[in-house]
Amino acid sequence: MPPQGDQCPFCQLIENPEQLLTVGETENFYAWLEVQPRAKGHANVVPKEHKESILEFSPEEYHEAMTLVRETIQKAFDGLGADGASITMNVKEAGGQMLPHAYIQIFPRFQDDENAGTPTGAIFQHREELQEEDKLKEIQDEYNSVSANFVVEKVEPHPESQKFKEENKTEQE
């Protein structure tokens, strides 16, 4: 993946938020329409601060992002008349992440689309060799041989957020 910072396309967009086609915003995230959509209403939820992937989200940031995802889906249902939605979180290049900045994709789904009802997981064919009981147990053991510990820390609002501006305004007065 290309380098971050000045060369990150999402960071460049975030530097000029007036160019975004926003459909929602929180203290630390934008929801904007994809300019090269794969579906009507295709949107991305993106952190305002550069984060390589969703694995860098604190639990609070993850909660904030998922709340914005939920709000965006509800807007797709109520505003666009979507009949369903698919959510995609690609992590790392092998997982399909196309940019070096975390993002969550929202694809509104409509009954009259040709691919209506096709789950996004359908791209993965069933692999019989992985279904054997011994192999499943081995995979379970591999998962359980490690732990995922998330550091819980206070999430500071992004400097462009209203909350940040209000907190700094009162400190300056």
Side-chain angles (χ1 to χ4, degrees):
M1 282 190 245
Q4 64 183 29
D6 292 340
Q7 296 178 18
C8 172
F10 280 177
C11 287
Q12 290 173 355
L13 287 170
I14 290 166
E15 285 179 14
N16 300 294
E18 66 280 351
Q19 68 186 340
L20 301 173
L21 299 171
T22 58
V23 295
E25 181 178 359
T26 65
E27 295 295 329
N28 297 295
F29 292 87
Y30 285 114
W32 68 57
L33 289 178
E34 172 62 54
V35 295
Q36 296 177 337
R38 297 174 188 265
K40 179 182 176 182
H42 176 184
N44 296 307
V45 170
V46 181
K48 293 176 181 178
E49 178 183 323
H50 186 87
K51 296 195 180 266
E52 190 85 12
S53 79
I54 63 163
L55 295 177
E56 293 183 16
F57 292 178
S58 69
E60 293 83 5
E61 288 170 321
Y62 187 81
H63 182 266
E64 182 180 342
M66 294 312 296
T67 298
L68 185 55
V69 166
R70 186 175 177 176
E71 290 171 5
T72 305
I73 293 169
Q74 193 62 53
K75 288 180 176 183
F77 290 166
D78 297 343
L80 302 177
D83 300 305
S86 293
I87 313 309
T88 304
M89 295 186 279
N90 299 316
V91 179
K92 297 192 177 190
E93 195 170 355
Q97 185 176 350
M98 303 297 289
L99 294 170
H101 193 112
Y103 59 95
I104 302 168
Q105 296 182 91
I106 301 160
F107 298 98
R109 308 283 296 270
F110 300 87
Q111 263 325 88
D112 58 354
D113 283 348
E114 66 182 68
N115 62 357
T118 304
T120 54
I123 62 169
F124 295 101
Q125 298 299 315
H126 289 280
R127 294 178 52 190
E128 290 183 29
E129 75 275 8
L130 297 177
Q131 293 175 311
E132 297 169 9
E133 188 175 337
D134 290 345
K135 188 63 176 174
L136 287 171
K137 178 68 175 136
E138 179 184 325
I139 294 168
Q140 179 187 27
D141 290 345
E142 289 172 348
Y143 262 105
N144 291 333
S145 70
V146 297
S147 62
N149 295 314
F150 296 101
V151 176
V152 178
E153 56 189 56
K154 183 176 186 257
V155 177
E156 295 296 326
H158 188 274
E160 294 299 316
S161 73
Q162 188 63 33
K163 183 176 182 179
F164 182 87
K165 292 174 184 175
E166 288 172 2
E167 286 176 359
N168 285 323
K169 181 180 178 184
T170 57
E171 288 176 9
Q172 293 172 349
E173 292 177 352

